Amino acid sequence: MTQSVVVQIGQCGNQIGCCFWDLALREHAAVNQKGIYDEAISSFFRNVDTRVAGDGGSISKGKISSLKARAVLIDMEEGVVNEILQGPLRDVFDSKQLITDISGSGNNWAMGHKVFGSLYQEQILEKLRKSAEHCDCLQCFFIIHSMGGGTGSGLGTFLLKVLEDEFPEVYRFVTSIYPSSEDDVITSPYNSILAMKELNEHADCVLPIDNQSLFDIISKIDLVVNSGKLDTTVKPKSLVTSSAGALKKQHKKPFDAMNNIVANLLLNLTSSARFEGSLNMDLNEISMNLVPFPQLHYLVSSLTPLYTLADVNIPPRRLDQMFSDAFSKDHQLMRADPKHSLYLACALMVRGNVQISDLRRNIERLKPSLRFVSWNQEGWKTSLCSVPPVGHSHSLLALANNTCVKPTFVELRERFMRLYKKKAHLHHYLQVEGMEESCFTEAVSSLSALIQEYNQLDATKSMPVADIPRLSIAM
Amino acid sequence: MSIVTVQLGQCGNQIGFEVFDTLFSDSHSSQGLCSKRENEAYQASCKERFFSEEENGVPIARAVLVDMEPKVINQTLSKAAQSGRWKYGQHAYFCQKQGSGNNWAYGYSVHGPRHEESIMNLIQKEVEKCDSLSGFFIIMSMAGGTGSGIGAFVTQNLQDHYAHSLKMNQIIWPYGTGEVIVQNYNSILTLSHLYRSSDALLVHENDAVHKICAKLMNIKQISFSDINQVLAHQLGSVFQPVYSAEGSFHYRRNPLGDLMENLVPHPEFKMLGVRNIPQMSENSLAYSTFTWAGLLKHLRQMLISNAKMEEGIDWQVRPPISGLPPLGKMPLNKELHFNTSIANLAILRGKDVQSADLEGFKDPALYTSWLEPVDAFNVWKTQRAFSKYEKSASLVSNSQFLVKPLDMIVGKAWNMFASKAYLHQYTKFGIEEEDFLDSFTLLEQVVASYYNL
């Protein structure tokens, strides 16, 4: 089995990362009752004998002694990382796997990418190499960051290039939080578009997510929980909604619930690689099946169920409802309407007591209402993992390579142009060494090229499927 | 003579387990409906083919398990060991840490050569345990990366290293509506390579077996386990021992050789399919009785109308009237109603098997013109009943049955290839556009050859 390393950068990245590790521990605790350090746990955690000084304490088998997350935490301010290290998860992190500074990036991509990039390049490389050395077979780096700020956006994307050069065989999966239109950081369009160019060129797969969608989803859950109608109660042990049993008791922070959703996304994405099932799906299969052309690697995700009813026996109708929900625009983790755009490919990752016939029945049912590109009419990739997430009997993660990402990119470009035309705030960037106007123009044309690709695909949407003449052979 | 089975990838290993389990359970079943002596001869023959003995008496499957990631092999080994009745060899498996990522190129060009020596060594060890080798049975899917890519590579290697032994590949044809998005690419690459190095391709379609589970077995929530058990039953009905020319108590020794001899007269036509009836849930079985006449009539109609199961058979389809000149070259998109055969092998197991009348299968109208029915049709029998069925009839055919599915896969793959989608994933590991074109050319040839029977 393979291992993955999580690199969490910036305030947003670290907060989400923290949620992720909390949930990962809970999930493994629920599945692994005997406390044996097995291959599933080893995908995200090391087993360490803390009595041994220095680095020699790794234990590869047997009982769990002390679990250490395979993580690297990076932030150019100390506040968030310090809080993590003083919080209930402090023992899960290896104190040597951190890089912090004091001043922060000032919401400036150039500061993050150019200044801190060069300043910390050596240290970053060292920490990454260390975490790779602790892995038997490293398959994937998961990078978590936001696009709108300075550190996550700038340093986070600098990191991508380092990873590509240093570990070319290891996949780079990036979870990027895109700024919503009401974002309070004025320069977020600049930061986002400068970061997008790097994502276009150096990421294997990007899972774009926006805060507004997460917020809407949480609001809906709250509505159900608080309405108290029709005997609906939320399952107490659901990882999504409840912090019962979590190491972090505090739920006052506004972003906690939203971060939980993203953390669940990452758990479900890797579940079929960690746990057994009748149709496994490894991480390398995700990019193989969902990325038809190297540049088109943006995957819209949706997660269901987000909450469950307290009834234990969920009849098949509920199961089918789960599939329908995954395709509704209310369940997407970014503002997108995949049903009314064009699918290039779609993956359905199911967990729990779901069998192949359930999967097929639902694909047959939903297929007619979805539009797939002409050369991939049956573009479905499916997986069945037997282990359900904590608190649910089954769950579904849908990943779609769909032209519905285009509006987000188009809007981002518009917001960028509104600022750029007036040269607003530009001097903050240009005064950083290594930054020129050409960085901006190149970034925006990279995005425009991407948008154009999606446009071309969309244009084929309403065309009838042409029959391409086959090879004719002489008999 | 013995058969060495190679199970590749998740699919191959999951199915392989069910196959050995079925073979074992059947050979030790108490419902053989025959004399003790007969039963013992049957058991001994099955054992010689598929199991070797260990000191404490638990038979070991003659199998090598290969996968590029550990989860499935671990499960398979432990399921077998837990049954307590048979198991896999302790060291008879090869495993890596990271899978092939559904990438045929990765399986064939990277994993294959990298692990060639280890895998071939394991196979050699298994071969050395056999007194006499009938050949290899390779179980793999076409849609993924390991079974398909490494399967193709290993089959080629077997051709080089064991040139005088036969190879039969059990191939799983994926569901039409995707399990894997690049399944059509992986399938055409697999088929074209196997066509050059394998002796026969025994094909099972997931869609067909799924329907059997739904309609005949009445299973509500069908799992892969259910599907694999039906598949294993069909394979068991083909591979379990049958009488040799001497009849009772004497069983044929060379299963693969006999199959090839009867069914693959020409290397251009290698694709075989199995139909097995009756197939039903245990509950229904208790209320059913069968006659050979009834079973054989259904089986014959299933053959000529290309039905994959005993329900919804189209009785309107009839063989063309003999005496008329054979139909000329057919356009590729013409509807094929009548399923022409090159060769057929009927395998009958159970009570009163000697009374079964097979004249219907000797009708020359069923066959192409270049073989006499006496050569094109063969029967194998045994009185020993198979797996709870008082009477069981199987038909292994080399016929046009796979032409439409093959045509469809080639068409879809070609469509995708024309847009160049996903090609970068294959060229990354050394499979270039020319390799794709070679595969397409070979398969278009196969399609055309079968169409023009």
Side-chain angles (χ1 to χ4, degrees):
Chain A
M1 198 173 297
T2 57
Q3 291 80 41
S4 302
V5 170
V6 174
V7 186
Q8 33 193 91
I9 318 165
Q11 172 175 22
C12 175
N14 276 291
Q15 285 175 336
I16 294 179
C18 200
C19 274
F20 169 76
W21 290 111
D22 185 32
L23 295 190
L25 280 172
R26 272 205 272 164
E27 179 170 84
H28 279 286
V31 173
N32 189 337
Q33 307 272 338
K34 298 195 188 132
I36 304 284
Y37 182 69
D38 61 11
E39 286 191 325
I41 289 198
S42 89
S43 61
F44 279 119
F45 295 94
R46 292 169 53 213
N47 191 17
V48 169
D49 184 349
T50 41
R51 294 166 302 177
V52 176
D55 217 29
S58 283
I59 314 170
S60 55
K61 280 194 170 76
K63 275 201 110 48
I64 291 175
S65 168
S66 173
L67 288 176
K68 293 282 178 207
R70 297 189 193 278
V72 178
L73 288 68
I74 304 177
D75 201 358
M76 295 298 102
E77 287 177 321
E78 292 183 314
V80 179
V81 175
N82 276 344
E83 210 182 318
I84 294 177
L85 292 179
Q86 280 154 21
L89 282 176
R90 60 180 168 277
D91 290 327
V92 173
F93 294 107
D94 185 343
S95 54
K96 295 184 248 71
Q97 290 295 82
L98 318 165
I99 300 178
T100 54
D101 198 302
I102 310 173
S103 43
S105 305
N107 284 328
N108 185 333
W109 184 91
M111 275 301 284
H113 196 94
K114 304 276 184 188
V115 174
F116 287 124
S118 56
L119 196 57
Y120 285 102
Q121 179 162 17
E122 276 312 307
Q123 274 198 53
I124 290 176
L125 258 177
E126 187 208 315
K127 311 288 180 198
L128 291 173
R129 281 195 194 122
K130 208 15 54 93
S131 51
E133 273 164 35
H134 285 139
C135 295
D136 217 0
C137 180
L138 176 61
Q139 186 182 41
C140 187
F141 283 106
F142 282 100
I143 296 110
I144 314 180
H145 72 152
S146 70
M147 299 283 278
T151 302
S153 174
L155 188 55
T157 48
F158 174 82
L159 189 69
L160 276 182
K161 193 108 126 340
V162 171
L163 289 174
E164 188 175 31
D165 292 335
E166 186 72 14
F167 305 95
E169 313 262 305
V170 181
Y171 287 89
R172 296 171 292 287
F173 274 52
V174 189
T175 304
S176 305
I177 309 298
Y178 279 69
S180 354
S181 38
E182 296 90 43
D183 196 75
D184 51 6
V185 175
I186 301 180
T187 49
S188 62
Y190 284 163
N191 297 329
S192 302
I193 295 216
L194 288 163
M196 279 265 331
K197 173 164 177 291
E198 308 299 316
L199 290 183
N200 282 344
E201 291 170 18
H202 305 297
D204 286 314
C205 242
V206 179
L207 300 163
I209 298 180
D210 77 62
N211 273 337
Q212 189 60 45
S213 304
L214 292 178
F215 186 74
D216 290 340
I217 289 175
I218 294 296
S219 310
K220 257 198 295 289
I221 294 180
D222 279 343
L223 221 60
V224 173
V225 172
N226 294 325
S227 71
K229 313 185 238 191
L230 302 171
D231 277 342
T232 58
T233 47
V234 180
K235 245 206 173 139
K237 294 210 199 98
S238 160
L239 273 189
V240 178
T241 54
S242 158
S243 59
L247 290 175
K248 313 175 353 353
K249 289 290 181 207
Q250 177 28 329
H251 241 221
K252 295 290 163 35
K253 297 220 194 78
F255 290 105
D256 258 357
M258 289 158 64
N259 293 342
N260 248 341
I261 296 182
V262 184
N264 265 297
L265 163 68
L266 288 173
L267 271 185
N268 286 342
L269 190 69
T270 55
S271 59
S272 188
R274 291 175 290 137
F275 301 118
E276 41 101 54
S278 63
L279 190 59
N280 295 336
M281 177 153 140
D282 209 345
L283 293 169
N284 50 10
E285 295 175 32
I286 295 181
S287 73
M288 176 70 187
N289 284 286
L290 294 173
V291 183
F293 299 99
Q295 329 82 285
L296 302 177
H297 55 245
Y298 293 85
L299 306 178
V300 179
S301 47
S302 67
L303 210 47
T304 63
L306 295 166
Y307 55 89
T308 53
L309 303 176
D311 306 306
V312 174
N313 281 322
I314 304 181
R317 197 187 145 268
R318 293 264 179 250
L319 181 61
D320 287 10
Q321 185 60 42
M322 182 175 80
F323 281 89
S324 303
D325 284 342
F327 289 90
S328 95
K329 65 176 164 63
D330 297 333
H331 280 252
Q332 308 299 320
L333 298 190
M334 77 179 281
R335 303 270 221 118
D337 190 7
K339 251 183 154 162
H340 295 105
S341 309
L342 188 66
Y343 276 91
L344 303 178
C346 184
L348 295 174
M349 306 179 65
V350 189
R351 297 180 69 170
N353 183 19
V354 183
Q355 301 300 343
I356 185 72
S357 54
D358 301 312
L359 199 48
R360 299 191 53 70
R361 179 180 67 245
N362 280 289
I363 291 181
E364 287 303 313
R365 188 172 61 86
L366 293 164
K367 209 165 57 138
S369 58
L370 305 170
R371 255 165 303 190
F372 274 81
V373 75
S374 65
W375 41 260
N376 203 1
Q377 294 272 291
E378 266 87 33
W380 298 91
K381 163 73 180 159
T382 54
S383 80
L384 295 165
C385 172
S386 335
V387 177
V390 177
H392 297 257
S393 60
H394 37 62
S395 76
L396 170 64
L397 167 64
L399 293 175
N401 193 339
N402 187 306
T403 56
C404 64
V405 288
K406 194 180 64 172
T408 302
F409 297 159
V410 168
E411 198 204 12
L412 204 55
R413 186 176 58 179
E414 273 164 23
R415 281 156 58 198
F416 174 95
M417 294 310 293
R418 273 202 290 272
L419 286 175
Y420 191 63
K421 277 204 197 100
K422 302 215 177 84
K423 311 264 185 227
H425 303 281
L426 216 50
H427 57 286
H428 292 301
Y429 293 78
L430 296 177
Q431 72 196 16
V432 173
E433 187 174 332
M435 280 300 284
E436 291 160 12
E437 284 215 30
S438 60
C439 297
F440 284 84
T441 47
E442 274 166 23
V444 108
S445 22
S446 166
L447 182 58
S448 294
L450 183 65
I451 292 175
Q452 186 52 19
E453 296 247 9
Y454 283 112
N455 276 333
Q456 278 173 343
L457 286 164
D458 266 335
T460 67
K461 202 167 41 167
S462 33
M463 285 171 16
V465 181
D467 253 339
I468 302 176
R470 296 260 290 269
L471 277 182
S472 50
I473 5 188
M475 279 294 290
Chain B
M1 294 170 89
S2 311
I3 298 178
V4 169
T5 299
V6 184
Q7 321 182 163
L8 292 146
Q10 172 164 29
C11 177
N13 279 293
Q14 284 176 188
I15 291 179
F17 168 78
E18 299 292 351
V19 171
F20 281 103
D21 206 44
T22 300
L23 292 171
F24 186 89
S25 302
D26 170 59
S27 78
H28 283 76
S29 125
S30 54
Q31 293 164 309
L33 299 180
C34 61
S35 66
K36 186 163 171 231
R37 186 177 161 208
E38 184 77 76
N39 211 32
E40 281 170 5
Y42 185 84
Q43 266 185 7
S45 178
C46 171
K47 185 132 158 283
E48 180 197 30
R49 291 177 180 199
F50 295 109
F51 296 92
S52 61
E53 190 91 36
E54 204 187 56
E55 295 102 43
N56 60 5
V58 178
I60 303 184
R62 296 187 191 277
V64 173
L65 295 74
V66 177
D67 202 356
M68 291 302 108
E69 68 97 14
K71 295 196 293 289
V72 183
I73 285 195
N74 286 340
Q75 257 199 313
T76 309
L77 290 173
S78 70
K79 268 209 286 199
Q82 271 165 18
S83 76
R85 298 168 300 144
W86 64 274
K87 60 184 183 180
Y88 285 104
Q90 212 179 10
H91 302 287
Y93 65 95
F94 179 77
C95 202
Q96 285 297 281
K97 299 186 188 115
Q98 183 169 213
S100 306
N102 287 167
N103 192 330
W104 192 92
Y106 199 76
Y108 185 83
S109 309
V110 178
H111 274 137
R114 199 182 278 172
H115 308 301
E116 183 177 346
E117 209 180 311
S118 309
I119 297 177
M120 295 313 285
N121 275 343
L122 277 182
I123 296 180
Q124 176 66 22
K125 282 213 189 71
E126 241 356 276
V127 171
E128 280 163 13
K129 284 199 232 161
C130 305
D131 277 336
S132 146
L133 182 66
S134 171
F136 298 97
F137 187 57
I138 301 129
I139 311 182
M140 54 194 267
S141 72
M142 291 203 302
T146 298
S148 69
I150 300 187
F153 184 83
V154 166
T155 307
Q156 230 164 270
N157 258 27
L158 289 175
Q159 174 140 31
D160 296 333
H161 293 256
Y162 299 91
H164 300 293
S165 299
L166 295 166
K167 298 164 297 298
M168 176 177 278
N169 292 64
Q170 161 63 49
I171 306 184
I172 301 305
W173 203 267
Y175 286 100
T177 341
E179 302 165 19
V180 170
I181 293 177
V182 290
Q183 64 187 42
N184 299 315
Y185 279 170
N186 292 339
S187 298
I188 59 135
L189 289 164
T190 305
L191 284 170
S192 61
H193 277 76
L194 286 182
Y195 229 83
R196 296 184 203 118
S197 51
S198 175
D199 297 304
L201 308 179
L202 186 55
V203 177
H204 271 98
E205 300 166 75
N206 269 347
D207 276 306
V209 184
H210 190 108
K211 283 211 190 82
I212 292 178
C213 288
K215 300 271 167 62
L216 298 181
M217 312 291 287
N218 269 320
I219 303 174
K220 289 280 176 280
Q221 201 190 19
I222 302 169
S223 66
F224 271 119
S225 201
D226 298 316
I227 292 188
N228 293 345
Q229 279 165 11
V230 170
L231 232 153
H233 175 91
Q234 293 199 342
L235 287 176
S237 77
V238 173
F239 283 105
Q240 286 291 51
V242 287
Y243 291 148
S244 62
E246 292 147 18
S248 295
F249 317 124
H250 294 98
Y251 286 92
R252 285 183 174 259
R253 307 282 325 282
N254 187 357
L256 287 181
D258 292 337
L259 277 168
M260 306 291 183
E261 194 186 315
N262 287 324
L263 291 166
V264 189
H266 189 299
E268 181 76 8
F269 301 94
K270 285 183 180 166
M271 301 209 288
L272 308 178
V274 182
R275 287 169 181 81
N276 165 267
I277 58 175
Q279 190 123 54
M280 52 182 56
S281 65
E282 263 189 74
N283 298 340
S284 313
L285 199 52
Y287 299 101
S288 317
T289 50
F290 309 100
T291 62
W292 285 117
L295 287 174
L296 292 171
K297 185 166 170 211
H298 279 214
L299 207 51
R300 181 178 181 274
Q301 192 60 24
M302 280 166 70
L303 170 66
I304 62 184
S305 66
N306 199 14
K308 312 267 162 83
M309 63 176 182
E310 208 178 349
E311 194 181 288
I313 303 175
D314 184 354
W315 289 93
Q316 300 298 320
V317 178
R318 295 247 182 279
I321 304 173
S322 336
L324 285 180
L327 294 165
K329 193 168 172 178
M330 286 164 82
L332 283 179
N333 55 2
K334 176 142 181 199
E335 272 298 306
L336 262 189
H337 287 297
F338 176 75
N339 188 32
T340 307
S341 300
I342 294 172
N344 280 304
L345 171 65
I347 306 176
L348 308 180
R349 301 172 183 277
K351 199 163 154 214
D352 300 329
V353 82
Q354 302 299 357
S355 66
D357 172 14
L358 289 127
E359 282 310 303
F361 286 96
K362 298 182 188 162
D363 182 357
L366 266 54
Y367 300 96
T368 64
S369 52
W370 35 271
L371 270 185
E372 296 294 318
V374 69
D375 298 318
F377 178 69
N378 286 281
V379 195
W380 291 351
K381 296 180 183 169
T382 173
Q383 269 178 330
R384 208 282 194 170
F386 175 64
S387 182
K388 306 184 187 65
Y389 289 92
E390 180 197 75
K391 297 187 180 74
S392 169
S394 287
L395 192 69
V396 189
S397 320
N398 189 342
S399 72
Q400 291 174 313
F401 82 104
L402 210 52
V403 139
K404 280 229 205 82
L406 180 57
D407 193 44
M408 198 133 69
I409 284 197
V410 173
K412 287 190 198 163
W414 183 247
N415 220 1
M416 197 182 263
F417 182 69
S419 72
K420 305 218 183 294
Y422 298 101
L423 286 183
H424 68 287
Q425 311 270 16
Y426 292 85
T427 54
K428 207 170 16 169
F429 300 111
I431 299 296
E432 307 292 335
E433 289 189 25
E434 294 89 70
D435 300 301
F436 276 88
L437 285 171
D438 284 344
S439 298
F440 280 117
T441 312
L442 192 149
L443 291 178
E444 293 282 10
Q445 184 93 30
V446 173
V447 170
S449 303
Y450 269 101
Y451 253 114
N452 287 318
L453 279 182

